[in-house]
Amino acid sequence: MASSQASAFDLKDPSLIKFQGYIDGKWVDAKSGEKITVTNPATNEELGTVPDMGLAETQEAIQAAAAAFPSWSRTTAKQRHDILMRFFQLMQQHHEDLGRLITLENGKPLAEAKAENAYSASFMEWFAEEAVRTYGEQIPSSIPGSRNVVIKQPVGVVSILTPWNFPSAMITRKLGAALAAGCTAVIKPPPETPFSSLALAEIGRRAGIPDGVVNIVPTFKHVSEVGKEMCQNKTVRKVSFTGSTNVAKLLYGLSSTTLKKVSLEAGGNAPFIVFDDANIDEAVDAAIICKFRGSGQTCICANRIFVQSTVYADFASRLADRVAKFKLGNGLEDGVTHGPLIHARAVEKVIRHVEDAVNKGAQILVGGKHIPDTSFFYPTVLSDVSADAQLNNEETFGPLAALTKFETEEEVIKMANNTDVGLAGYFFSRDVGRVWRVAERLEVGMVGANSGVISQAVIPFGGVKESGLGREGSHGIEEYMNTKLIVFGGLGA
């Protein structure tokens, strides 16, 4: 059965496709026999099934990770470095298959999917290098005859919960740091896109990751009990989540019962500001990348586009002309620039936001429609969007660029910060003083100044306010380590 299902993916290496969960180095089914059916959002065709696991399998996975932790945590940083580098090299070696896999289950165009695989692999390379740089320190003692030494140790078993919009990168950004630190992990992938996570487990096995160090528990019907166990189980010492703000708050509350370490990368509502002294061509190019990558299904994409009145008409016209040239379709087809949304619910939200904005006076410059009975929504540009439109208070997570006019710098800063979340923000200006002022005043964790691209393995990724806690990438290995003080006494004067 597995071989016949694998044929639907048409990979060069079909053994990367797994139709079972992964616990303690074994490919296993759900004890209940329940399955999750995974479909291609571009065609609605079934790709295959994975087990719909529950509480029992989650507990087994946590126990396996706990059993593997003592030996894995005692490996040297150099040993973990070497395994993660092999992981990175295998992801590069299989980039065609891994990219195709992302397109099939997520829907993004193949070029974007391959770019995601490269981005995903870069976390393994980066954290391989961070593994050998988990420095402690010696602190001069105020007590005669003693020495203060600070060391870093892995926290233990880590629960990782990830979204479907980056089915590979959202795992490696967390898993790379956890493994580099010496932690073991239990991963709950999204039910929409489980095959990328299972392929990563197979890549990790080939790279030399020991049994039990990485465990994958797919679930759909039992997500509530699985998520609760991953947060409340006393054996788990760290929870890392990427997803909506509402779910982040729920998991934060569950994790607080045992005061676990948490990293929460929650929702965004990114402002994208174009001042009248900006290079308009560059601003349009950046808006195209920032807003429409992944068909707008990214947490850091521009959600509210503010343009100064004197350049508003020019920017709107150029942006609409570019968007009108997009080609919607199956991401595996040549020339397709934008794929489907992940499912019908995502389409419904974009429709609701467009209709609400139009009812409040917005004009549709391009797009504004969906293809019935599919998950395709045409990339859309709206002008004259009202400040009280729903899309200004909710993350659209779709291919909808909403333009609002502003007059002054002070006015737009207030508009940009008028939200409960603060993940990313972008602005364009050639005035050096303004660049510093605006960058410092935007209430976000990450700023793109004259850039619509900020994501890299080397940067501290995360937000402020209700966009979450902690940082990923960069020196995020610290989030998976405990700081321990050792005071050596009796050393004499």
Side-chain angles (χ1 to χ4, degrees):
M1 177 62 179
S3 60
S4 62
Q5 288 192 88
S7 64
F9 294 87
D10 192 26
L11 301 191
K12 295 177 181 177
D13 182 356
S15 64
L16 289 172
I17 301 296
K18 302 297 179 183
F19 300 96
Q20 296 172 294
Y22 189 64
I23 299 176
D24 200 17
K26 301 177 182 64
W27 299 104
V28 294
D29 292 315
K31 298 180 187 300
S32 65
E34 293 178 302
K35 301 280 189 181
I36 302 169
T37 299
V38 183
T39 59
N40 181 335
T43 63
N44 290 325
E45 295 174 349
E46 180 178 330
L47 290 171
T49 62
V50 297
D52 197 345
M53 293 181 162
L55 180 60
E57 293 88 350
T58 305
Q59 291 173 336
E60 283 186 15
I62 292 172
Q63 291 165 6
F69 175 71
S71 60
W72 179 249
S73 63
R74 286 196 296 268
T75 56
T76 67
K78 179 60 165 59
Q79 288 172 321
R80 297 194 297 276
H81 164 277
D82 292 348
I83 288 175
L84 289 177
M85 284 304 296
R86 285 198 292 272
F87 201 127
F88 165 69
Q89 291 156 4
L90 285 168
M91 289 187 73
Q92 289 186 310
Q93 179 183 327
H94 294 284
H95 74 281
E96 292 283 348
D97 279 349
L98 295 174
R100 181 179 178 86
L101 186 51
I102 291 169
T103 293
L104 286 167
E105 62 179 356
N106 170 275
K108 63 181 63 175
L110 187 57
E112 275 195 33
K114 289 179 180 179
E116 179 182 342
N117 180 65
Y119 178 50
S120 181
S122 74
F123 286 106
M124 289 303 181
E125 180 185 36
W126 172 258
F127 283 114
E129 295 162 343
E130 284 289 282
V132 296
R133 295 178 177 83
T134 52
Y135 305 125
E137 61 179 330
Q138 180 181 338
I139 302 174
S141 178
S142 60
I143 303 172
S146 68
R147 301 292 186 273
N148 299 322
V149 176
V150 176
I151 64 172
K152 303 292 180 69
Q153 295 180 308
V155 297
V157 176
V158 177
S159 288
I160 294 174
L161 303 97
T162 61
W164 47 260
N165 58 334
F166 289 90
S168 178
M170 294 302 95
I171 289 177
T172 58
R173 190 159 73 186
K174 303 171 188 298
L175 183 61
L179 295 178
C183 298
T184 56
V186 177
I187 302 168
K188 187 207 80 61
E192 297 90 348
T193 59
F195 291 117
S196 290
S197 64
L198 295 168
L200 289 175
E202 172 61 15
I203 291 285
R205 186 191 65 77
R206 297 180 189 182
I209 294 176
D211 293 350
V213 172
V214 175
N215 305 272
I216 312 280
V217 181
T219 189
F220 177 59
K221 293 179 183 177
H222 310 289
V223 64
S224 179
E225 64 185 30
V226 168
K228 183 177 181 181
E229 185 67 15
M230 291 179 73
C231 292
Q232 290 191 325
N233 190 299
K234 289 185 178 181
T235 302
V236 174
R237 297 312 309 152
K238 158 86 180 181
V239 174
S240 184
F241 166 78
T242 296
S244 72
T245 296
N246 288 339
V247 175
K249 291 178 179 179
L250 174 64
L251 299 182
Y252 193 22
L254 293 172
S255 300
S256 71
T257 60
T258 53
L259 292 180
K260 295 180 184 354
K261 276 180 171 271
V262 294
S263 295
L264 303 172
E265 193 249 291
N269 190 1
F272 185 103
I273 305 168
V274 182
F275 288 101
D276 56 10
D277 63 335
N279 182 312
I280 300 302
D281 285 334
E282 291 180 359
V284 170
D285 288 342
I288 294 294
I289 296 171
C290 182
K291 171 70 255 185
F292 292 103
R293 181 170 60 112
S295 293
Q297 298 174 113
T298 72
C299 55
I300 59 170
C301 76
N303 199 59
R304 300 167 296 152
I305 301 178
F306 303 109
V307 185
Q308 201 154 18
S309 60
T310 50
V311 294
Y312 183 87
D314 187 21
F315 179 88
S317 175
R318 295 194 204 187
L319 181 64
D321 287 347
R322 292 280 299 279
V323 173
K325 294 180 174 66
F326 291 168
K327 181 179 178 181
L328 200 63
N330 187 327
L332 295 178
E333 295 176 0
D334 291 341
V336 167
T337 60
H338 293 79
L341 300 189
I342 191 65
H343 44 49
R345 296 191 306 279
V347 175
E348 291 165 4
K349 187 174 187 181
V350 181
I351 292 172
R352 176 165 55 83
H353 279 188
V354 170
E355 290 179 346
D356 172 75
V358 170
N359 288 337
K360 292 173 179 173
Q363 303 295 315
I364 299 175
L365 299 184
V366 64
K369 301 178 294 183
H370 72 288
I371 300 176
D373 302 319
T374 75
S375 295
F376 287 98
F377 195 98
Y378 285 101
T380 299
V381 179
L382 299 181
S383 66
D384 304 315
V385 175
S386 170
D388 64 349
Q390 288 180 352
L391 58 83
N392 280 322
N393 298 304
E394 295 179 356
E395 202 175 11
T396 302
F397 235 61
L400 171 58
L403 310 186
T404 299
K405 190 181 300 182
F406 74 90
E407 298 296 336
T408 68
E409 180 181 317
E410 189 68 26
E411 175 193 13
V412 77
I413 291 296
K414 289 180 180 178
M415 294 166 72
N417 290 339
N418 185 28
T419 176
D420 291 332
V421 295
L423 188 56
Y426 309 86
F427 70 92
F428 284 75
S429 170
R430 286 177 287 190
D431 180 322
V432 174
R434 171 177 280 163
V435 167
W436 277 107
R437 288 194 306 272
V438 175
E440 292 178 351
R441 292 185 65 190
L442 286 178
E443 295 173 356
V444 296
M446 300 172 287
V447 175
N450 293 312
S451 175
V453 179
I454 58 176
S455 294
Q456 309 153 61
V458 302
I459 62 138
F461 192 103
V464 300
K465 299 195 283 192
E466 294 186 16
S467 281
L469 302 167
R471 293 295 183 269
E472 296 182 327
S474 189
H475 303 305
I477 193 172
E478 297 284 349
E479 304 270 354
Y480 295 85
M481 305 193 84
N482 289 323
T483 299
K484 177 181 284 185
L485 166 68
I486 305 172
V487 179
F488 292 90
L491 301 180

